[in-house]
Amino acid sequence: MKFTYLLINFFTVIVPLIFSFHPKIRFDKKWVYFFGGNLIVSILFICWDAYFTSIGVWSFNEKYVTGINLLGLPIEEILFFICIPFSCVFTYHSLTKFYRFEWNAKSESVFCIIFSTALLVIGIINLDKLYTSVTFISTAIVCLLLKFILKINWIGKAFSVYAVLLIPFLIVNGLLTGTGLEEPVVLYNNQENLGIRIFTIPVEDVFYGFELILLNLFFYYQWQKKKVVSSKPVLT
């Protein structure tokens, strides 16, 4: 049972890892961009996670982790911030390679404004609930920053692909929050969230996950742009 969380990470990442080498996908050629960006995002989320763990917003069931800790977190939780984004960015890469998820600029802007405004309002009126307020407000800020300040042109595709990813998300997060297990792997302090669950999953997890993937995609693209710029010949 102590390998439960470790196995969840393993089975989440193993198929995307293998299919990265498929000749029609070749995500292995993008690994350097993913891991470069993921390092930045992982540090941010691990700090967030470690702080919330230290103040009791959530905790981890010792029955389902190996007992190896780093920065006050189970090693499995550290691996979560690598395995889950890897699988999600792989899925994004694969789906957008074969299918069109294009949004027109106006629809993308309107949806982003409505989505972010709703999150900001919910976050602000629930400032007494740390998980709700921090997650909703930070996700809204990230969306607005990426769309209107940094002017990315792929946020609509990210929304669409994440809607597809919600299916495996419900499976993986369901396991972590207790679906099919005697007890949850991750234990939440319900005083710090809305108390609304999708099966066993706090609704905040959906937006926490979206912010995690959105930032991984942003830095994934940034590393690719850096490669393109550095490969251009210098004119003398």
Side-chain angles (χ1 to χ4, degrees), residues 20 22 25 80 105 120 143 149 152 210:
S20 291
H22 192 285
I25 298 176
F80 174 93
L120 282 172
C143 287
I149 305 300
I152 63 169
F210 183 62

Side-chain angles (χ1 to χ4, degrees), residues 39-83:
L39 177 62
I40 298 169
V41 182
S42 292
I43 290 171
L44 173 64
F45 273 80
I46 287 167
C47 291
W48 178 356
D49 198 342
Y51 176 65
F52 270 24
T53 301
S54 70
I55 61 174
V57 175
W58 52 56
S59 59
F60 302 93
N61 194 328
E62 294 182 358
K63 291 182 178 180
Y64 298 116
V65 295
T66 58
I68 303 170
N69 294 322
L70 182 65
L71 301 174
L73 297 173
I75 191 66
E76 296 87 346
E77 182 74 352
I78 304 292
L79 292 173
F80 174 93
F81 294 110
I82 303 171
C83 296

Side-chain angles (χ1 to χ4, degrees), residues 126-143:
N126 288 283
L127 289 176
D128 59 321
K129 298 176 174 61
L130 269 180
Y131 189 25
T132 305
S133 59
V134 172
T135 300
F136 282 31
I137 292 172
S138 62
T139 301
I141 291 171
V142 166
C143 287

